[in-house]
Amino acid sequence: APLLSAEQLPRHFVDGGVCMFGVPFDGGVTNRPGTRHGPREVRNASSLMRAVHPTFRVNPFEQCPISDLGDVPFSEPFVTRRCHDETATFA
């Protein structure tokens, strides 16, 4: 089966589908930073994803359109309240 990555998904909302977006933010933690790298790593891990599920033999992308809207662009990444508001607006 061909490989399919989140990088190949449409970058706009597809009506009736599912969309995902990243929130690269770890400003709310004091001793465990790094969650800001999560969205990139999810996309990296998806690079090994097959278009057809190996057990169920279905292509989820044919069942439901999926799109990746990218990451929330934070204007002030060190202002927690602002980041929360921008995430809510982006969603």
Side-chain angles (χ1 to χ4, degrees):
L3 291 175
L4 182 65
S5 162
E7 296 295 332
Q8 298 168 313
L9 296 174
R11 291 295 213 190
H12 60 278
F13 178 70
V14 179
D15 193 37
V18 173
C19 67
M20 63 181 195
F21 63 91
V23 183
F25 175 73
D26 60 6
V29 299
T30 55
N31 67 341
R32 297 268 180 177
T35 57
R36 68 184 175 275
H37 303 296
R40 172 79 268 150
E41 291 308 314
V42 167
R43 292 181 183 102
N44 288 344
S46 77
S47 68
L48 299 176
M49 187 170 60
R50 300 282 179 180
V52 177
H53 191 280
T55 303
F56 299 113
R57 302 283 183 216
V58 297
N59 182 341
F61 302 99
E62 289 176 354
Q63 305 293 318
C64 181
I66 301 171
S67 56
D68 180 355
L69 303 181
D71 291 343
V72 176
F74 295 122
S75 61
E76 296 179 66
F78 301 108
V79 180
T80 302
R81 172 81 332 232
R82 179 81 178 219
C83 291
H84 289 181
D85 292 343
E86 289 175 346
T87 299
T89 301
F90 190 86

